[in-house]
Amino acid sequence: MMQKLLSREQIIEVFTRFRAQNPNPKSELEYSTPFTLLVAVVLSAQATDKSVNIATRELYKVADTAQKILALGEEGLIPYIKSIGLYKSKAKHIIALCEKLISDFDGQVPHDREKLMSLSGVGRKTANVVLNVVWGEHTMPVDTHLLRICPKIGLAEGSTPEKVEKSLLERIPDEFMEHAHHWLILHGRYVCTARNPKCENCLINDICQHNDL
């Protein structure tokens, strides 16, 4: 089936509506510093933001820096994150991430995609989230929601995160880029859901291409 793509005018209308409904969307992960956001995003892989927040609320009371988490060690970290899926491998990643932050970056989260991706457990999507949320960079973190809904709506083409990311960066006007990924994640999470999309309540139902890919 041929995928139908939205025109530039239609894309502007989509994001104008999103902006009118929710002018300043925020990450649903709870954090207070670049470091606490980074750890939360690493923990959120294949887990809900809600489950991560429940775990990190307790963890960050005792350890909210690379030095403090390293002092806990893997065995000390695990009880805090045991409720989250893949907690054993995530604990290993976070300890290694903290070690590298301290040895290579003075314990500070680097403002650079390549450097972020050199950290254990940090892929391109995680690096993009940190760059966008902390520094307002116009990045496009493509998670499972965006990979599913953007081609369906007609906002982007591609079937891999990298291709969808590239397509979105090329097609979304700059004025919407700071918040675009949050609007799209929230749309995929609460409206354009995988099993029963709420098309009747959708803000952009009349523009969506409803591509069945």
Side-chain angles (χ1 to χ4, degrees):
M1 177 186 162
M2 212 25 212
Q3 183 193 1
K4 295 181 297 229
L5 287 169
L6 300 180
S7 68
R8 182 177 168 82
E9 289 68 31
Q10 288 172 312
I11 291 172
I12 289 170
E13 181 60 26
V14 164
F15 286 103
T16 300
R17 292 183 192 182
F18 283 150
R19 182 167 62 189
Q21 184 192 48
N22 185 2
N24 197 23
K26 295 273 188 271
S27 170
E28 295 193 324
L29 290 169
E30 294 171 7
Y31 69 96
S32 56
T33 63
F35 175 75
T36 53
L37 176 69
L38 177 62
V39 170
V41 179
V42 171
L43 288 173
S44 73
Q46 295 173 305
T48 65
D49 288 2
K50 193 174 175 184
S51 69
V52 173
N53 290 337
I54 290 167
T56 57
R57 270 174 220 150
E58 297 308 308
L59 171 63
Y60 293 158
K61 283 177 189 172
V62 296
D64 59 356
T65 66
Q67 290 84 349
K68 287 178 184 172
I69 286 185
L70 212 48
L72 278 180
E74 209 174 307
E75 295 306 309
L77 175 60
I78 282 175
Y80 290 101
I81 65 169
K82 208 167 182 177
S83 57
I84 302 172
L86 309 174
Y87 69 90
K88 283 184 179 170
S89 66
K90 287 176 182 178
K92 281 189 170 58
H93 281 313
I94 287 166
I95 293 299
L97 174 154
C98 290
E99 285 171 347
K100 191 169 176 73
L101 276 180
I102 291 165
S103 67
D104 292 13
F105 306 112
D106 297 323
Q108 301 301 306
V109 175
H111 182 177
D112 178 273
R113 185 188 280 121
E114 297 306 315
K115 288 175 182 173
L116 282 164
M117 287 173 67
S118 74
L119 299 167
S120 183
V122 178
R124 187 177 178 88
K125 188 207 84 174
T126 297
N128 280 341
V129 170
V130 173
L131 292 170
N132 176 263
V133 174
V134 175
W135 290 290
E137 283 203 19
H138 292 184
T139 62
M140 186 50 68
V142 174
D143 67 350
T144 51
H145 292 304
L146 269 70
L147 188 60
R148 177 174 56 79
I149 72 167
C150 292
K152 179 181 176 181
I153 294 166
L155 281 169
E157 49 194 340
S159 55
T160 65
E162 289 77 15
K163 284 180 179 166
V164 170
E165 177 186 341
K166 183 172 184 284
S167 185
L168 288 169
L169 289 172
E170 286 170 355
R171 292 167 55 76
I172 297 173
D174 210 44
E175 65 173 299
F176 301 112
M177 275 300 300
E178 185 180 347
H179 297 309
H181 107 268
H182 279 127
W183 285 320
L184 291 168
I185 282 175
L186 294 170
H187 190 66
R189 196 172 279 168
Y190 299 112
V191 182
C192 194
T193 48
R195 290 198 177 155
N196 297 301
K198 300 172 180 63
C199 294
E200 68 283 0
N201 299 326
C202 175
L203 203 62
I204 58 168
N205 191 14
D206 57 318
I207 305 173
C208 177
Q209 294 299 308
H210 304 278
N211 287 309
D212 186 16
L213 302 170

